[in-house]
Amino acid sequence: MSEVETAIFAIITSAGEARASLYEALEKARAGQMVESQQCMSQADMQLRTAHDVQTDLITRDLNGSLPMSLLLVHAQDQLMTTMSEQSLIEQMILLIRDMEVKRGK
């Protein structure tokens, strides 16, 4: 496996782990476990930062003309961007859950 393929799989793996952490955070929030939910959100954020760092390196390589384009790279980009969108949405969903708990007096 080439260095570029290794980087691409690192993005896919980190994005997938982040997505799992995000949905676990949502489940924890729905169960009223807000501390655990926040821990999962923090873990997802770290995983996305890892993926983003690898992506930044690949973008720099692309600017230098040394990155071959591939369907696998497009897939990695799609996974990362989708997970980042889900992160924003899940953050808002958790805030709604918190607001509902406050209104119910929990």
Side-chain angles (χ1 to χ4, degrees):
M1 185 178 315
S2 73
E3 182 182 337
V4 171
E5 288 172 330
T6 300
I8 291 169
F9 280 114
I11 293 171
I12 293 168
T13 301
S14 294
E17 290 173 354
R19 179 177 284 139
S21 294
L22 290 167
Y23 282 96
E24 183 178 355
L26 183 56
E27 288 176 23
K28 298 284 186 188
R30 291 182 67 210
Q33 301 170 343
M34 290 304 190
V35 172
E36 295 86 348
S37 175
Q38 183 55 48
Q39 290 169 344
C40 291
M41 291 299 289
S42 294
Q43 185 176 3
D45 191 55
M46 288 187 315
Q47 292 158 334
L48 284 172
R49 285 176 197 255
T50 297
H52 190 265
D53 289 346
V54 174
Q55 176 195 41
T56 300
D57 180 57
L58 290 177
I59 289 170
T60 301
R61 293 174 89 171
D62 185 47
L63 290 173
N64 295 330
S66 62
L67 182 65
M69 187 53 60
S70 71
L71 185 56
L72 189 59
L73 177 57
V74 172
H75 174 65
Q77 290 292 110
D78 180 55
Q79 293 299 307
L80 177 56
M81 298 309 294
T82 300
T83 303
M84 291 173 74
S85 292
E86 288 174 316
Q87 179 185 33
S88 296
L89 182 58
I90 288 172
E91 285 173 352
Q92 292 302 310
M93 292 171 75
I94 290 172
L95 288 173
L96 284 171
I97 291 168
R98 285 184 183 160
D99 289 348
M100 289 171 51
E101 286 183 355
V102 168
K103 288 180 182 176
R104 284 187 274 173
K106 287 189 174 184

